[in-house]
Amino acid sequence: LREGAPYPLYDLTASAVNMPWMSGLAEAGPLRIEGPYGPENFGEMRIDWTARTLSLGIRDIAGKPVFGRTVAFSEISAR
């Protein structure tokens, strides 16, 4: 989504690592990458300066990937 911004906006919301989040699971967000994911989880952001990419993701309590997205710097640069 680019409405009013010179670059795409993304929404990734993680729960507290020690608390599942179950209320409002049906709540949709137009910028949401994927989900929601209610069990305990944490968010991760990785920057690969060589590949010039940004990765956003959710991992479960054991650290396994649940979902995510990788975008090139060129996609999120102001135009």
PDB file of all heavy atoms in Angstrom, residues 2 4 7-8 15 24-25 31 49 55-56 58 61 63 74-76:
ATOM      1  N   ARG A   2       0.559   2.202  -0.831  1.00  0.00           N
ATOM      2  CA  ARG A   2       1.354   3.420  -0.930  1.00  0.00           C
ATOM      3  C   ARG A   2       0.574   4.687  -0.623  1.00  0.00           C
ATOM      4  O   ARG A   2       1.124   5.760  -0.727  1.00  0.00           O
ATOM      5  CB  ARG A   2       1.894   3.569  -2.343  1.00  0.00           C
ATOM      6  CG  ARG A   2       3.042   2.713  -2.654  1.00  0.00           C
ATOM      7  CD  ARG A   2       3.546   3.105  -4.039  1.00  0.00           C
ATOM      8  NE  ARG A   2       4.496   2.143  -4.448  1.00  0.00           N
ATOM      9  CZ  ARG A   2       5.815   2.285  -4.278  1.00  0.00           C
ATOM     10  NH1 ARG A   2       6.299   3.344  -3.745  1.00  0.00           N
ATOM     11  NH2 ARG A   2       6.623   1.332  -4.655  1.00  0.00           N
ATOM     12  N   GLY A   4      -0.508   7.933   0.226  1.00  0.00           N
ATOM     13  CA  GLY A   4       0.075   9.018   0.990  1.00  0.00           C
ATOM     14  C   GLY A   4       1.533   8.855   1.358  1.00  0.00           C
ATOM     15  O   GLY A   4       2.082   9.669   2.071  1.00  0.00           O
ATOM     16  N   TYR A   7       6.660   5.311  -0.555  1.00  0.00           N
ATOM     17  CA  TYR A   7       7.186   3.953  -0.556  1.00  0.00           C
ATOM     18  C   TYR A   7       6.124   3.039   0.047  1.00  0.00           C
ATOM     19  O   TYR A   7       5.222   3.494   0.748  1.00  0.00           O
ATOM     20  CB  TYR A   7       8.480   3.854   0.261  1.00  0.00           C
ATOM     21  CG  TYR A   7       8.412   4.601   1.556  1.00  0.00           C
ATOM     22  CD1 TYR A   7       7.796   4.036   2.672  1.00  0.00           C
ATOM     23  CD2 TYR A   7       8.921   5.886   1.662  1.00  0.00           C
ATOM     24  CE1 TYR A   7       7.699   4.728   3.844  1.00  0.00           C
ATOM     25  CE2 TYR A   7       8.825   6.591   2.844  1.00  0.00           C
ATOM     26  CZ  TYR A   7       8.215   6.005   3.937  1.00  0.00           C
ATOM     27  OH  TYR A   7       8.106   6.704   5.112  1.00  0.00           O
ATOM     28  N   PRO A   8       6.184   1.722  -0.192  1.00  0.00           N
ATOM     29  CA  PRO A   8       5.191   0.806   0.380  1.00  0.00           C
ATOM     30  C   PRO A   8       5.311   0.723   1.900  1.00  0.00           C
ATOM     31  O   PRO A   8       6.403   0.848   2.444  1.00  0.00           O
ATOM     32  CB  PRO A   8       5.504  -0.543  -0.247  1.00  0.00           C
ATOM     33  CG  PRO A   8       6.640  -0.362  -1.143  1.00  0.00           C
ATOM     34  CD  PRO A   8       7.134   1.042  -1.047  1.00  0.00           C
ATOM     35  N   SER A  15       3.506 -10.946  19.100  1.00  0.00           N
ATOM     36  CA  SER A  15       3.007 -10.966  20.477  1.00  0.00           C
ATOM     37  C   SER A  15       4.191 -10.891  21.430  1.00  0.00           C
ATOM     38  O   SER A  15       5.344 -10.971  21.025  1.00  0.00           O
ATOM     39  CB  SER A  15       2.225 -12.257  20.734  1.00  0.00           C
ATOM     40  OG  SER A  15       3.109 -13.353  20.890  1.00  0.00           O
ATOM     41  N   GLY A  24      -9.244 -10.754  19.072  1.00  0.00           N
ATOM     42  CA  GLY A  24      -9.111  -9.934  17.878  1.00  0.00           C
ATOM     43  C   GLY A  24      -8.435 -10.613  16.714  1.00  0.00           C
ATOM     44  O   GLY A  24      -7.957  -9.951  15.810  1.00  0.00           O
ATOM     45  N   LEU A  25      -8.371 -11.943  16.710  1.00  0.00           N
ATOM     46  CA  LEU A  25      -7.666 -12.638  15.635  1.00  0.00           C
ATOM     47  C   LEU A  25      -8.261 -12.376  14.255  1.00  0.00           C
ATOM     48  O   LEU A  25      -7.574 -12.496  13.264  1.00  0.00           O
ATOM     49  CB  LEU A  25      -7.616 -14.141  15.899  1.00  0.00           C
ATOM     50  CG  LEU A  25      -6.567 -14.591  16.894  1.00  0.00           C
ATOM     51  CD1 LEU A  25      -6.608 -16.099  17.058  1.00  0.00           C
ATOM     52  CD2 LEU A  25      -5.179 -14.148  16.489  1.00  0.00           C
ATOM     53  N   LEU A  31      -2.337  -3.297   5.607  1.00  0.00           N
ATOM     54  CA  LEU A  31      -0.892  -3.333   5.422  1.00  0.00           C
ATOM     55  C   LEU A  31      -0.275  -4.610   5.975  1.00  0.00           C
ATOM     56  O   LEU A  31       0.927  -4.821   5.859  1.00  0.00           O
ATOM     57  CB  LEU A  31      -0.242  -2.128   6.114  1.00  0.00           C
ATOM     58  CG  LEU A  31      -0.813  -0.762   5.757  1.00  0.00           C
ATOM     59  CD1 LEU A  31      -0.128   0.328   6.559  1.00  0.00           C
ATOM     60  CD2 LEU A  31      -0.687  -0.498   4.279  1.00  0.00           C
ATOM     61  N   TRP A  49      22.809  -6.262   3.958  1.00  0.00           N
ATOM     62  CA  TRP A  49      23.387  -5.097   3.267  1.00  0.00           C
ATOM     63  C   TRP A  49      23.995  -5.485   1.928  1.00  0.00           C
ATOM     64  O   TRP A  49      23.998  -4.686   0.998  1.00  0.00           O
ATOM     65  CB  TRP A  49      24.431  -4.420   4.157  1.00  0.00           C
ATOM     66  CG  TRP A  49      23.821  -3.841   5.399  1.00  0.00           C
ATOM     67  CD1 TRP A  49      23.912  -4.349   6.662  1.00  0.00           C
ATOM     68  CD2 TRP A  49      22.991  -2.686   5.488  1.00  0.00           C
ATOM     69  NE1 TRP A  49      23.191  -3.566   7.529  1.00  0.00           N
ATOM     70  CE2 TRP A  49      22.625  -2.529   6.839  1.00  0.00           C
ATOM     71  CE3 TRP A  49      22.528  -1.752   4.560  1.00  0.00           C
ATOM     72  CZ2 TRP A  49      21.827  -1.499   7.291  1.00  0.00           C
ATOM     73  CZ3 TRP A  49      21.724  -0.715   5.015  1.00  0.00           C
ATOM     74  CH2 TRP A  49      21.382  -0.591   6.356  1.00  0.00           C
ATOM     75  N   SER A  55      14.215  -8.312   5.509  1.00  0.00           N
ATOM     76  CA  SER A  55      13.302  -9.437   5.766  1.00  0.00           C
ATOM     77  C   SER A  55      12.588  -9.205   7.084  1.00  0.00           C
ATOM     78  O   SER A  55      13.220  -8.897   8.099  1.00  0.00           O
ATOM     79  CB  SER A  55      14.069 -10.754   5.837  1.00  0.00           C
ATOM     80  OG  SER A  55      14.696 -11.021   4.604  1.00  0.00           O
ATOM     81  N   LEU A  56      11.262  -9.342   7.063  1.00  0.00           N
ATOM     82  CA  LEU A  56      10.424  -9.219   8.242  1.00  0.00           C
ATOM     83  C   LEU A  56       9.728 -10.546   8.446  1.00  0.00           C
ATOM     84  O   LEU A  56       9.247 -11.142   7.474  1.00  0.00           O
ATOM     85  CB  LEU A  56       9.369  -8.130   8.042  1.00  0.00           C
ATOM     86  CG  LEU A  56       9.881  -6.743   7.700  1.00  0.00           C
ATOM     87  CD1 LEU A  56       8.727  -5.862   7.265  1.00  0.00           C
ATOM     88  CD2 LEU A  56      10.599  -6.142   8.882  1.00  0.00           C
ATOM     89  N   ILE A  58       7.739 -13.554  11.430  1.00  0.00           N
ATOM     90  CA  ILE A  58       7.256 -14.020  12.725  1.00  0.00           C
ATOM     91  C   ILE A  58       7.799 -15.427  12.930  1.00  0.00           C
ATOM     92  O   ILE A  58       7.775 -16.251  12.022  1.00  0.00           O
ATOM     93  CB  ILE A  58       5.715 -14.048  12.771  1.00  0.00           C
ATOM     94  CG1 ILE A  58       5.137 -12.635  12.645  1.00  0.00           C
ATOM     95  CG2 ILE A  58       5.198 -14.743  14.026  1.00  0.00           C
ATOM     96  CD1 ILE A  58       5.407 -11.728  13.832  1.00  0.00           C
ATOM     97  N   ILE A  61       7.465 -19.859  19.272  1.00  0.00           N
ATOM     98  CA  ILE A  61       8.205 -19.851  20.532  1.00  0.00           C
ATOM     99  C   ILE A  61       9.491 -20.679  20.455  1.00  0.00           C
ATOM    100  O   ILE A  61      10.458 -20.411  21.156  1.00  0.00           O
ATOM    101  CB  ILE A  61       7.300 -20.321  21.702  1.00  0.00           C
ATOM    102  CG1 ILE A  61       7.922 -19.999  23.056  1.00  0.00           C
ATOM    103  CG2 ILE A  61       6.964 -21.790  21.590  1.00  0.00           C
ATOM    104  CD1 ILE A  61       7.911 -18.554  23.413  1.00  0.00           C
ATOM    105  N   GLY A  63      11.330 -20.737  17.775  1.00  0.00           N
ATOM    106  CA  GLY A  63      12.213 -20.066  16.830  1.00  0.00           C
ATOM    107  C   GLY A  63      12.026 -20.468  15.385  1.00  0.00           C
ATOM    108  O   GLY A  63      12.768 -20.026  14.513  1.00  0.00           O
ATOM    109  N   SER A  74      15.246  -1.448  -3.101  1.00  0.00           N
ATOM    110  CA  SER A  74      14.693  -0.639  -4.199  1.00  0.00           C
ATOM    111  C   SER A  74      13.168  -0.524  -4.117  1.00  0.00           C
ATOM    112  O   SER A  74      12.589   0.450  -4.586  1.00  0.00           O
ATOM    113  CB  SER A  74      15.105  -1.204  -5.556  1.00  0.00           C
ATOM    114  OG  SER A  74      14.611  -2.520  -5.697  1.00  0.00           O
ATOM    115  N   GLU A  75      12.512  -1.525  -3.507  1.00  0.00           N
ATOM    116  CA  GLU A  75      11.058  -1.486  -3.349  1.00  0.00           C
ATOM    117  C   GLU A  75      10.609  -0.543  -2.253  1.00  0.00           C
ATOM    118  O   GLU A  75       9.472  -0.078  -2.261  1.00  0.00           O
ATOM    119  CB  GLU A  75      10.515  -2.878  -3.018  1.00  0.00           C
ATOM    120  CG  GLU A  75      10.651  -3.891  -4.114  1.00  0.00           C
ATOM    121  CD  GLU A  75      10.105  -5.240  -3.679  1.00  0.00           C
ATOM    122  OE1 GLU A  75       8.990  -5.280  -3.114  1.00  0.00           O
ATOM    123  OE2 GLU A  75      10.792  -6.237  -3.893  1.00  0.00           O
ATOM    124  N   ILE A  76      11.482  -0.280  -1.266  1.00  0.00           N
ATOM    125  CA  ILE A  76      11.084   0.538  -0.130  1.00  0.00           C
ATOM    126  C   ILE A  76      11.805   1.879  -0.099  1.00  0.00           C
ATOM    127  O   ILE A  76      11.788   2.571   0.915  1.00  0.00           O
ATOM    128  CB  ILE A  76      11.284  -0.230   1.202  1.00  0.00           C
ATOM    129  CG1 ILE A  76      12.721  -0.717   1.344  1.00  0.00           C
ATOM    130  CG2 ILE A  76      10.304  -1.376   1.297  1.00  0.00           C
ATOM    131  CD1 ILE A  76      13.016  -1.364   2.676  1.00  0.00           C
TER     132      ILE A  76
END
